[in-house]
Structure formats: C-alpha cells, structure tokens
Amino acid sequence: MNSMQSNTNEYLVLKGIKVFRDYTNQRLKILDYKSISDNLVKDMIDLARYEGFGKIISNCRSVNLMPFIRNGFIIEGIINGFFIGEDAFCISYFLEPQRQASPLSLEADSILCQCKNHAERLSHQYKIRPANVGDITKMIKLFSTVFETYPSPVFSREYLKMAMSEQVLFKVAEEDGEIISIASADMDKYNLNAEITDCATYPEYRGKGLLASLIASLETDLKAKGFLTAYSLARAINPGINKALSRQGYKYGGRLLNNCHICGGFEDMNIWSKNL
C-alpha cells in the first residue's frame, strides 16, 4: 500500500470524471461527471485499487445511483439539499475489509443518542468575529493543540491564507484577544451548499456553547450570500461538535465509516445537514 506521506494529493479529470486522489486519507473522491456508466465506475474502482486506497466516496444524485450500486457501492447516508436543494446520497466502495469495520460504533451510537436528547442552547460572553490573515499563527496553534493529524492541511500558513482568500469563511471566538475556538464554512457556490468544518476549541473552553455560536454566525453569513444548505461531517466519537450541530437544528443523515484520517487514525464521521 502507498504511504500516506509518499504522494501529493491532486485533482484529475479521467474519462470525463473529475476525481481527487486523496493520499492523506487513503481514498478516491469522485467529484463530478456529466454521465456515468458501469464501465466508468469499474475504471474508478481499478484506479483506487492501483493507488492502494481503502475507500472510494462520492456524493451522488438519485438519477445516477444505479451504476454505482450495481458495482458494489453502498449508501452510507444522505446530505439533504446538497445539490441546489436536491438531496445527495453519500455512497462508498470499500476496497479493504478493515476499512468497513467500526470498532467504536457503540460509543458513537451512545453519543448520537445524547445529542438527540440534549438540544438545549448554551449562552456565553465570548466575542465571535470573522478570522483574518493576521490570526493564522494563533489558528495554527489551536489546530495543532486539538488535532494530531487532520484531513486537510490546517497546520499550513499558506493553505489557510489561500483558503481565506478563495472559498472558506472562518469565524473565531476569542477571550482577551486570544483565539479559543474556530469553525469554518467551505462554500460550494455551484451547488449552493457549505460544509461546516475545521471546528476546534481549547479543552478548557469546551462545553460552553462556543461551537454552536460560531456555527450560527457562519449560517448568518451564508444566508446573506444566498446559500441553501449547510452540512457537516462530524467526528462520531466527539460529543462536542455533534451536540453543537444538534443544538443548531441540524438533522442526522448517517455515518461514513473510517472516512478520514484525523487525530492519528481513521475515524467514522456523522453526517448532519440543515436547510438555511
């Protein structure tokens, strides 16, 4: 199998299909295509197998599902309203049996149950504001404290600067000028959806409702920009982010098994979505 450090992640267009070779997370992401067929799906499986990846993922319209299902893909969940208001089916193909095994499923189910039964809002007095380039050093410090590894390069100054200038809204909570919590919205302007992601809070400030407030602030900006849907893929064994999304009215849509490499290993991600 290829080493996760030995190759560079990259976007490619192969036979009319836009894909992302994601070595960091040992997966192939099928992103976009004008048409799909059984033969093209098989080509994607062959590519993932050649790369040594353990999983293929894609967000799929209902009209395109059957070629994937016929060739071994399964539906792991749904993101409501992903495609300009139309639902997306989160489909996956597992090339390795261990990638489909979830040793912490009982713990994740327990956390999910808690989230659904505890939707109360919390209040706090911390300042919520947009992040700027001058915050990057403090943001990296927070990300590095919270995450041992992360699916995207949030430890890179260049990446964060580029993300801020292009398609990602970052919001921070601060106390006495120090950043104590972060969340972002990665905007898909074509499909009018945004992924709530990059959520991190210093341990001593958790449980105060900071993430819910950051998410609410991001939603306000997204609504003003005309976005229809917000969604998030939350670490299934992290109570804080799942509770924050539930408090903000997001609906649970399924779980992606061993979906990304975060905090030192592969983890399951809960799907949450909200109509804005």
Side-chain angles (χ1 to χ4, degrees):
M1 181 180 294
N2 293 331
S3 166
M4 280 189 283
Q5 286 77 35
S6 64
N7 295 286
T8 302
N9 297 344
E10 63 178 341
Y11 293 93
L12 296 171
V13 177
L14 300 172
K15 298 186 177 182
I17 301 177
K18 184 178 180 181
V19 300
F20 181 58
R21 290 201 289 204
D22 185 356
Y23 296 102
T24 302
N25 299 295
Q26 288 290 284
R27 65 190 182 186
L28 182 72
K29 296 179 72 173
I30 300 174
L31 299 171
D32 195 22
Y33 44 83
K34 291 184 178 179
S35 63
I36 196 70
S37 67
D38 288 78
N39 285 337
L40 288 172
V41 171
K42 290 173 182 176
D43 287 341
M44 296 301 101
I45 294 172
D46 288 342
L47 172 61
R49 184 171 288 114
Y50 173 80
E51 294 290 350
F53 292 158
K55 188 175 185 179
I56 307 172
I57 61 172
S58 186
N59 295 327
C60 182
R61 295 177 186 269
S62 59
V63 68
N64 295 320
L65 268 177
M66 289 315 299
F68 291 102
I69 300 302
R70 283 195 295 265
N71 288 282
F73 279 73
I74 63 170
I75 298 171
E76 291 199 278
I78 295 176
I79 301 175
N80 297 124
F82 183 90
F83 295 111
I84 320 179
E86 179 187 345
D87 295 348
F89 290 86
C90 302
I91 57 173
S92 301
Y93 184 94
F94 293 89
L95 293 100
E96 300 172 344
Q98 63 268 33
R99 193 74 182 255
Q100 199 169 359
S102 180
L104 298 176
S105 60
L106 292 178
E107 180 181 349
D109 288 344
S110 176
I111 290 170
L112 184 61
C113 184
Q114 295 172 35
C115 294
K116 291 180 176 179
N117 293 331
H118 296 83
E120 79 282 359
R121 295 291 303 274
L122 301 177
S123 61
H124 61 80
Q125 300 301 316
Y126 302 106
K127 180 181 178 181
I128 304 293
R129 64 169 178 81
N132 57 63
V133 174
D135 295 320
I136 288 179
T137 297
K138 292 179 180 179
M139 291 169 66
I140 291 174
K141 179 182 176 183
L142 174 51
F143 286 134
S144 299
T145 300
V146 173
F147 302 116
E148 179 182 346
T149 58
Y150 197 73
S152 57
V154 293
F155 312 120
S156 163
R157 173 177 294 275
E158 292 73 21
Y159 168 79
L160 291 175
K161 186 176 180 180
M162 179 188 67
M164 284 183 185
S165 69
E166 293 183 355
Q167 66 188 45
V168 183
L169 293 174
F170 284 92
K171 292 290 181 86
V172 298
E174 63 179 8
E175 179 184 51
D176 299 328
E178 291 299 316
I179 293 173
I180 58 176
S181 187
I182 301 172
S184 76
D186 190 349
M187 298 177 290
D188 179 347
K189 297 178 182 179
Y190 179 78
N191 288 304
L192 296 181
N193 71 58
E195 180 182 2
I196 304 299
T197 186
D198 304 330
C199 299
T201 304
Y202 280 119
E204 60 268 33
Y205 291 98
R206 293 172 187 167
K208 301 178 183 293
L210 286 167
L211 285 179
S213 294
L214 287 166
I215 293 168
S217 181
L218 288 167
E219 288 175 3
T220 299
D221 287 6
L222 291 170
K223 289 176 186 177
K225 293 176 181 292
F227 283 81
L228 300 178
T229 299
Y231 74 96
S232 189
L233 306 180
R235 296 173 63 201
I237 59 169
N238 184 312
I241 181 57
N242 287 282
K243 288 181 180 179
L245 290 163
S246 181
R247 288 184 181 120
Q248 277 303 113
Y250 286 72
K251 302 302 181 185
Y252 175 73
R255 185 174 300 152
L256 304 174
L257 300 182
N258 293 306
N259 198 58
C260 56
H261 201 274
I262 187 168
C263 291
F266 289 112
E267 288 196 13
D268 302 345
M269 308 297 282
N270 286 339
I271 302 165
W272 296 88
S273 57
K274 181 179 181 178
N275 185 329
L276 295 177

